[in-house]
Amino acid sequence: MKILVVDDEQVLVKGIKFNLENEGYEVEVGYDGQRAVELAKAGDFDLIILDLMMPKLDGLQACLAIREFSNVPIIMLTAKSEDADKLIGFESGADDYITKPFNLLELKARIRAILRRGASQRQDKGREERLVRGHISLDAAQRAVWRDGDEVELTAKEFDLMELLMNNPGKVYSRSALLDLVWGYEYAGEERTVDVHIRRLREKLERDSANPELILTKWGVGYYLKND
């Protein structure tokens, strides 16, 4: 597995690189947002770790730029802990968020969770690979989604969330259940993350995001996909 780590704190990058290489990962590094985008274009990475505050391009700008050509999972690092900052990160296409200072064991656990989920989805041949619900179709093997026949680019977490809903039409999931099932660990206090991802899915996949036909809300409970 190949990971890109980009942060302007070179001592921190050195420590992360050392620890991840000891886990068997191949690690490439950079120290500013512009370099992050260049490396992401040139390399075939399984995951990218980006700091929020960097020179040339900050982490949000770099994340947005990378999302123009790649859906590689992205973990954002930040010294800020405010919910608003985290939600902005998710809006920019980040898949996960970890606040500095952090325990390297926690970072490695989140990396494993993201990579393991992607691997299990690729290897699971038992589930239905081509799903069609209304005007939306999804191919699990290709990790591709179409709206009315036109392919739509989703981030890794957006795809995971949509795949879960499409595999279980009519089943209502609470925010906490979606966090546990899609993010793979307790994401305490971040239930608004689900709202952000649902809104982005509606904007990308619904014909009218203000009046969704398929990705629906059960008020006071959670979200579900309409059962045809």
Side-chain angles (χ1 to χ4, degrees):
M1 291 289 184
K2 189 175 179 182
I3 297 176
L4 172 62
V5 181
V6 186
D7 192 311
D8 60 340
E9 296 182 48
Q10 296 193 22
V11 174
L12 176 62
V13 170
K14 183 177 180 180
I16 294 174
K17 184 176 189 292
F18 175 80
N19 277 272
L20 294 184
E21 287 180 338
N22 280 345
E23 294 285 322
Y25 299 111
E26 180 182 350
V27 182
E28 200 161 337
V29 302
Y31 304 104
D32 63 70
Q34 182 176 313
R35 184 62 176 155
V37 178
E38 293 170 353
L39 288 169
K41 281 184 179 178
D44 185 18
F45 294 100
D46 297 288
L47 185 142
I48 296 175
I49 300 171
L50 281 180
D51 184 41
L52 180 64
M53 303 301 292
M54 293 188 293
K56 298 187 179 179
L57 289 177
D58 64 29
L60 297 178
Q61 293 170 317
C63 188
L64 284 168
I66 291 169
R67 283 288 171 254
E68 292 179 2
F69 58 84
S70 174
N71 288 321
V72 60
I74 295 175
I75 297 176
M76 297 289 292
L77 305 179
T78 178
K80 298 181 178 182
S81 60
E82 290 81 0
D83 286 347
D85 293 310
K86 294 180 181 180
L87 292 174
I88 290 171
F90 289 123
E91 288 276 9
S92 302
D95 295 282
D96 205 348
Y97 217 103
I98 188 166
T99 303
K100 296 178 179 178
F102 54 84
N103 187 312
L104 278 168
L105 292 176
E106 180 185 3
L107 177 62
K108 287 190 283 189
R110 297 197 183 191
I111 290 171
R112 286 194 299 270
I114 289 176
L115 295 178
R116 184 171 58 245
R117 188 172 305 110
S120 65
Q121 286 166 344
R122 290 190 295 270
Q123 294 167 4
D124 181 5
K125 302 302 182 182
R127 73 186 188 278
E128 186 181 352
E129 291 194 340
R130 186 76 179 213
L131 301 167
V132 179
R133 309 285 184 243
H135 61 272
I136 301 171
S137 57
L138 178 149
D139 190 301
Q142 296 183 45
R143 289 186 67 81
V145 181
W146 295 265
R147 181 187 65 188
D148 289 320
D150 295 322
E151 187 169 1
V152 177
E153 292 293 326
L154 300 183
T155 67
K157 278 295 186 294
E158 288 168 357
F159 183 91
D160 293 344
L161 179 55
M162 195 64 199
E163 184 182 19
L164 175 67
L165 294 175
M166 290 188 70
N167 268 309
N168 300 277
K171 183 173 181 178
V172 180
Y173 291 93
S174 67
R175 291 173 177 82
S176 59
L178 290 172
L179 284 171
D180 187 50
L181 291 167
V182 176
W183 277 257
Y185 54 86
E186 289 300 324
Y187 211 72
E190 297 300 338
E191 291 191 354
R192 287 180 62 200
T193 299
V194 175
D195 299 331
V196 171
H197 282 73
I198 290 290
R199 178 166 58 79
R200 287 172 62 87
L201 285 173
R202 285 171 173 165
E203 290 171 351
K204 292 181 177 183
L205 296 174
E206 292 283 6
R207 289 168 174 156
D208 179 1
S209 60
N211 298 287
E213 303 172 37
L214 294 174
I215 307 169
L216 304 178
T217 302
K218 184 75 170 180
W219 296 108
V221 182
Y223 298 104
Y224 67 102
L225 195 88
K226 182 180 178 181
N227 194 356
D228 294 338

